[in-house]
């Protein structure tokens, strides 16, 4: 079985970022046209869009602040006008910050994680899901994290945002399943991306020994799961939180 996304249109938030770029490329390799969202990195987004067009895919780079509702609506209007209406929504963007223990963490970081995890998804749903309902078909894939299950010291703001996100996803899956729309979460571990390859930091012994498979996963491992969930091979999977972290997190029954 091949993952076939031919004839589908996708949008990826944070598409110009480390993991986002791999997700965008992988969706395109499976046949999808891909709209690439970026916040500040227009150069990377335009470069990636050009590569997709060279592959014969329709693409474009679209700017928005994912923590601002009107910015998301403005982006949607541009996407609809210049690219078309997506069938696949990949909510990948998140605000980066320095992790600290709760008592030392700036309170602004808790708000930033709520905005970029929870409200980001609320805004994207409000903007793009009505079309999916209208056409009675859609795939929504949201990036969560192994941290949401592990709740390690120092990760509270991130974990709080991602746990809030989990609630949004599960409720949405129940609300729109009747329209043939699936909503799922991919939960990566500490992932090897282009930055790690450039810095030659792929091997992290202290972390690696905590992974049952013995090593970190790659951005491609994550993108493979995203593409699967975006495809009709996963048509009967919804509301799932799927760890892609080599076994560091295992769902309980």
């Amino acid at each position: 079985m091949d993952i076939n996304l031919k004839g589908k249109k996708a949008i990826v938030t944070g598409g110009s970022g480390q993991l986002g770029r791999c997700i965008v490329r992988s969706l395109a390799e499976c046949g999808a046209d891909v709209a690439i969202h970026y916040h500040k990195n227009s150069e990377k987004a335009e470069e990636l869009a050009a590569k997709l067009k060279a592959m014969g895919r329709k693409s474009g780079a679209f700017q928005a602040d994912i923590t601002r509702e009107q910015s998301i609506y403005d982006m949607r209007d541009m996407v609809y006008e210049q690219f078309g209406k997506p069938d696949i929504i990949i909510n990948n963007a998140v605000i980066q910050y320095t992790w600290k223990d709760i008592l030392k963490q700036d309170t602004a970081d808790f708000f930033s994680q709520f905005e970029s995890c929870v409200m980001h998804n609320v805004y994207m749903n409000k903007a793009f899901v009505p079309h999916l309902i209208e056409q009675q078909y859609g795939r929504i894939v949201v990036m969560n994290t192994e941290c949401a299950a592990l709740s390690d010291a120092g990760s509270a703001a991130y974990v709080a945002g991602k746990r809030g996100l989990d609630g949004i996803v599960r409720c949405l899956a129940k609300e729109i399943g009747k329209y043939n729309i699936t909503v799922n979460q991919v939960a990566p571990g500490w992932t090897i991306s282009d930055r790690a390859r450039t810095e030659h930091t792929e091997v992290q012994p202290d972390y690696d020994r905590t992974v049952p498979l013995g090593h970190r996963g790659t951005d491609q491992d994550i993108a493979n799961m995203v593409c699967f969930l975006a495809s009709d091979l996963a048509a009967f999977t919804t509301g799932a939180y799927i760890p892609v972290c080599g076994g560091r997190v295992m769902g309980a029954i």
Side-chain angles (χ1 to χ4, degrees):
M1 292 185 290
D2 293 327
I3 295 178
N4 182 357
L5 299 178
K6 292 178 181 176
K8 304 298 184 186
K9 288 183 169 63
I11 182 169
V12 180
T13 67
S16 64
Q18 293 284 311
L19 178 57
R21 294 197 296 271
C22 188
I23 292 172
V24 167
R25 289 193 299 266
S26 298
L27 290 167
E29 287 166 0
C30 291
D33 298 327
V34 188
I36 303 163
H37 158 264
Y38 70 93
H39 182 208
K40 295 180 179 178
N41 201 342
S42 60
E43 184 176 346
K44 280 287 186 184
E46 294 288 358
E47 177 184 321
L48 186 55
K51 289 180 179 179
L52 266 59
K53 290 174 182 176
M55 295 169 57
R57 305 287 180 258
K58 188 172 184 179
S59 187
F62 300 90
Q63 195 277 336
D65 179 345
I66 51 91
T67 70
R68 298 291 176 262
E69 186 171 15
Q70 189 57 52
S71 187
I72 292 287
Y73 286 134
D74 291 343
M75 177 182 70
R76 177 204 58 192
D77 293 345
M78 288 189 292
V79 169
Y80 281 7
E81 179 182 350
Q82 300 175 22
F83 174 80
K85 296 181 176 180
D87 312 287
I88 300 165
I89 313 299
I90 313 295
N91 293 332
N92 165 70
V94 68
I95 291 174
Q96 301 296 323
Y97 73 103
T98 301
W99 290 11
K100 298 178 182 178
D101 290 349
I102 293 173
L103 301 185
K104 297 178 181 178
Q105 192 78 58
D106 192 319
T107 53
D109 294 325
F110 290 91
F111 286 103
S112 81
Q113 292 307 291
F114 183 82
E115 287 181 329
S116 67
C117 294
V118 175
M119 298 314 299
H120 160 208
N121 280 270
V122 170
Y123 299 151
M124 287 293 292
N125 293 336
K126 286 180 174 290
F128 288 95
V129 168
H131 166 65
L132 303 184
I133 292 174
E134 181 181 334
Q135 70 177 11
Q136 298 280 295
Y137 177 88
R139 299 285 181 264
I140 301 172
V141 184
V142 176
M143 302 311 298
N144 205 300
T145 172
E146 67 172 4
C147 300
L150 294 170
S151 299
D152 289 331
S155 64
Y158 188 48
V159 168
K162 291 298 189 181
R163 279 181 170 258
L165 165 63
D166 178 74
I168 293 293
V169 170
R170 292 172 192 263
C171 291
L172 185 67
K174 291 183 177 182
E175 291 171 0
I176 63 176
K178 61 187 175 184
Y179 302 111
N180 193 29
I181 304 168
T182 63
V183 191
N184 293 291
Q185 299 173 82
V186 176
W190 188 11
T191 303
I192 296 170
S193 59
D194 290 341
R195 182 180 296 116
R197 296 183 186 100
T198 300
E199 297 172 353
H200 305 293
T201 56
E202 298 98 320
V203 176
Q204 296 287 336
D206 290 342
Y207 180 87
D208 292 348
R209 68 173 59 98
T210 70
V211 181
L213 291 182
H215 59 87
R216 293 166 67 192
T218 68
D219 46 9
Q220 191 62 60
D221 292 320
I222 310 307
N224 291 346
M225 181 59 74
V226 170
C227 290
F228 169 70
L229 292 172
S231 77
D232 288 339
L233 295 176
F236 203 59
T237 300
T238 197
Y241 168 91
I242 303 178
V244 186
C245 57
R248 287 191 90 226
V249 170
M250 298 182 183
I253 61 171

